[in-house]
């Protein structure tokens, strides 16, 4: 069994990816501080895992801890060697992701997202583990670039969160350049990950104020929030509302599995940045319409002013990811709406 360290594996994208990797036979060591997640994820993953109970325990270990804790990280790498399961690669999800919070508390974002990554990368070097898949974001692209956005677009983030993601990508590039043939790195630049596993047993459980559209939509559908506020109806789009590239979380999880496989198989895979999106743009009104149709519900909404920092249209050119990894998003907007609502219905209070 190949041994993989997953940082932030209890979170939204991490937990769905863990399930995909478990099903594909990897041994996972997860480190998560639970700053934005819950240890209850372990029971959920256990029950979704189709192998025997014993084999889940043999394949999955979750350690509560912070990626900034050098001593803890060292002990994880050391223990893995002592157990004859040295860590071969890291999937690095751990980090803070609120654009708004990053603007109000930039030093925290630099400390966790960049400082935490530096600590992790130094320990990886020390233990000769030089394969990493990094969670990057489409938010690093120059917002004036025209969609579809390719990986060649200028990198010019406008908020602190995006700047920390671009900084980690830069750091990873320096590592690759200095130790050619040694580091194998894939940056996955996600567009808008949404939805949930089709069982509705794992999903997105945002803490505090909800900022993103999809979890907000779920709360309006459940009646917990009265109405959706749509940020602007005068964008230069077909119906005046913002257009984004919504990708089903299980398609995103599958992209991680394929990226990892690619990294571990290809001797000289080097340094790659791949857009992970469907390549299709959907407006806020289109998303609402599909959600209502699929789930036979009504989403009350009002139009309010544009949200500062928003762009009209953002969707991916995803050819590089599809041709390199042999990846293809299999689920559509209806799947996203159905699975996302199922998660909300079954877990109105998230994992608590
Ligand atoms: P999430 O908050 O659900 O998951 C992140 C996990 O990391 C959480 O479980 C959290 O507890 C953990 N964590 C945070 N700081 C930590 C630390 N210092 N040490 C250990 N664990 C820590 O977020 P997500 O949506 O699953 O995102 C995962 C990654 O993907 C993040 O790096 C995020 O920036 C990136 N990303 C997310 C999106 C998105 O829209 N969700 C888009 C692009 C990129
Ligand atoms: C989608 C559309 C809004 C909420 C953000 C981050 C980005 C990435 C993904 C991490 C836009 C509109 C939203 C609402 C609305 N995360 N909207 N009412 O802004 O594309 O990207 O999440 O890397 O960095 O910036 O996603 O879901 O917030 O917005 O009308 O209550 O929905 O204006 O058009 P966004 P979102």
């Amino acid at each position: 069994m190949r041994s993989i360290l997953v940082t932030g594996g209890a979170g939204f994208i991490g937990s769905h990816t863990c399930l995909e990797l478990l099903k594909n036979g990897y041994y996972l060591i997860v480190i998560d501080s639970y700053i934005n997640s819950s240890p209850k994820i372990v029971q959920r993953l256990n029950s979704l895992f189709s192998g025997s109970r014993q084999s889940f325990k043999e394949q999955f270990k979750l350690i509560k801890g912070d990626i900034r804790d050098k001593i803890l990280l060292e002990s994880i790498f050391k223990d893995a060697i002592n157990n004859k399961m040295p860590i071969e690669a890291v999937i690095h999800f751990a980090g803070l992701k609120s654009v708004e919070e990053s603007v109000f508390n930039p030093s925290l974002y630099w400390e966790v997202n960049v400082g935490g990554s530096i600590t992790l990368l130094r320990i990886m070097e020390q233990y000769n583990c030089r394969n990493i898949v990094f969670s990057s974001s489409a938010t690093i692209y120059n917002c004036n670039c025209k969609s579809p956005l390719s990986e060649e677009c200028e990198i010019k983030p406008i908020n602190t969160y995006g700047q920390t993601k671009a900084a980690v990508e830069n750091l990873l590039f320096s590592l690759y350049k200095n130790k050619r043939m040694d580091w194998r790195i894939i940056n996955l630049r996600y567009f808008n990950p949404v939805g949930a596993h089709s069982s509705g047993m794992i999903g997105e459980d945002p803490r505090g104020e909800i900022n993103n559209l999809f979890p907000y939509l779920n709360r309006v559908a459940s009646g917990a929030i009265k109405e959706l506020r749509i940020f602007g109806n005068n964008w230069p789009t077909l119906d005046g509302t913002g257009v984004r590239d919504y990708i089903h979380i299980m398609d995103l999880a599958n992209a991680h599995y394929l990226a990892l496989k690619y990294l571990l198989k290809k001797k000289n895979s080097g340094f790659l940045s791949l857009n992970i999106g469907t390549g299709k743009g959907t407006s806020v009104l289109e998303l609402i319409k599909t959600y209502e149709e699929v789930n036979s519900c009504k989403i009350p909404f009002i139009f309010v002013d544009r949200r500062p920092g928003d762009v009209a249209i953002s969707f991916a050119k995803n050819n590089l990811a599809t041709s390199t990894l042999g990846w293809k998003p299999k689920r559509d907007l209806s799947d996203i709406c159905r699975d996302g609502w199922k998660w909300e219905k079954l877990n109105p209070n998230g994992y608590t």
Side-chain angles (χ1 to χ4, degrees):
M1 243 189 306
R2 309 196 87 154
S3 176
I4 312 296
L5 175 66
V6 184
T7 74
F12 174 44
I13 306 172
S15 57
H16 291 77
T17 301
C18 282
L19 184 62
E20 183 79 359
L21 296 179
L22 284 168
K23 290 196 164 157
N24 283 287
Y26 287 91
Y27 172 63
L28 306 182
I29 303 166
V30 171
I31 174 172
D32 202 298
S33 64
Y34 303 133
I35 186 88
N36 198 35
S37 53
S38 159
K40 291 196 177 140
I41 193 68
V42 181
Q43 300 147 23
R44 304 288 178 103
L45 288 176
N46 191 352
S47 57
L48 283 173
F49 183 58
S50 50
S52 71
R53 206 179 169 76
Q54 185 57 29
S55 65
F56 177 76
K57 281 195 180 147
E58 280 168 5
Q59 260 185 263
F60 187 84
K61 183 172 168 189
L62 202 152
I63 297 160
K64 179 175 191 263
D66 198 297
I67 52 160
R68 290 166 293 173
D69 184 343
K70 185 171 171 282
I71 311 272
L72 176 66
L73 282 184
E74 262 185 314
S75 73
I76 292 174
F77 276 88
K78 216 181 280 168
D79 288 352
I81 292 172
N82 292 339
N83 294 335
K84 310 245 173 322
M85 296 283 280
I87 294 168
E88 289 187 59
V90 175
I91 305 189
H92 181 29
F93 295 106
L96 301 174
K97 64 166 181 177
S98 160
V99 170
E100 207 183 345
E101 187 188 34
S102 79
V103 175
F104 291 116
N105 202 347
S107 53
L108 177 70
Y109 272 67
W110 280 91
E111 187 191 315
V112 174
N113 291 1
V114 181
S117 299
I118 292 172
T119 307
L120 172 70
L121 292 165
R122 290 190 64 111
I123 302 289
M124 285 177 69
E125 275 191 322
Q126 202 177 309
Y127 285 88
N128 230 353
C129 170
R130 286 154 197 220
N131 300 317
I132 185 165
V133 177
F134 172 60
S135 290
S136 190
S137 172
T139 204
I140 65 174
Y141 291 126
N142 182 339
C143 58
N144 295 319
C145 285
K146 200 171 160 353
S147 287
L149 298 167
S150 88
E151 290 83 358
E152 302 296 309
C153 273
E154 188 190 11
I155 306 297
K156 200 178 177 192
I158 57 166
N159 55 61
T160 305
Y161 167 72
Q163 283 154 4
T164 64
K165 289 288 169 190
V168 176
E169 281 203 12
N170 274 332
L171 167 58
L172 289 167
F173 188 64
S174 313
L175 290 175
Y176 159 72
K177 284 268 279 193
N178 288 342
K179 305 193 182 218
R180 242 190 149 77
M181 316 301 285
D182 219 349
W183 277 92
R184 291 181 224 158
I185 296 161
I186 301 186
N187 300 308
L188 295 182
R189 296 177 180 160
Y190 317 146
F191 278 69
N192 291 64
V194 285
H197 185 261
S198 59
S199 64
M201 284 186 63
I202 57 174
E204 185 172 14
D205 180 15
R207 313 268 144 134
E209 205 187 324
I210 297 174
N211 299 310
N212 295 118
L213 178 60
F214 200 84
Y216 213 97
L217 205 52
N218 271 343
R219 294 289 155 88
V220 174
S222 75
I225 295 176
K226 195 172 93 209
E227 63 198 2
L228 178 72
R229 290 173 308 139
I230 299 182
F231 300 137
N233 61 355
N234 55 0
W235 291 101
T237 61
L238 277 181
D239 61 25
T241 64
V243 167
R244 295 292 182 274
D245 189 335
Y246 298 99
I247 175 156
H248 194 293
I249 187 68
M250 289 312 297
D251 282 328
L252 185 62
N254 181 244
H256 286 83
Y257 160 62
L258 293 171
L260 186 65
K261 215 162 86 166
Y262 182 87
L263 209 64
L264 293 176
K265 197 162 152 200
K266 278 240 169 196
K267 276 269 172 288
N268 301 326
S269 54
F271 184 89
L272 265 173
S273 298
L274 301 174
N275 283 343
I276 304 296
T278 63
K280 195 172 166 286
T282 302
S283 75
V284 177
L285 286 176
E286 282 172 328
L287 180 62
I288 293 176
K289 187 165 174 276
T290 306
Y291 194 102
E292 289 182 331
E293 278 169 12
V294 170
N295 298 316
S296 310
C297 67
K298 197 84 207 119
I299 302 291
F301 63 82
I302 53 165
F303 289 111
V304 297
D305 287 347
R306 289 181 179 187
R307 182 173 62 177
D310 264 353
V311 293
I313 301 177
S314 167
F315 63 92
K317 182 168 189 291
N318 66 5
N319 311 41
L320 193 56
T322 54
S323 61
T324 309
L325 302 179
W327 169 75
K328 206 171 175 223
K330 296 189 188 86
R331 297 148 182 100
D332 64 12
L333 209 57
S334 299
D335 298 317
I336 286 173
C337 294
R338 187 195 55 243
D339 297 341
W341 171 233
K342 186 166 184 189
W343 153 256
E344 181 70 26
K345 234 179 354 187
L346 294 176
N347 306 273
N349 301 311
Y351 290 108
T352 52

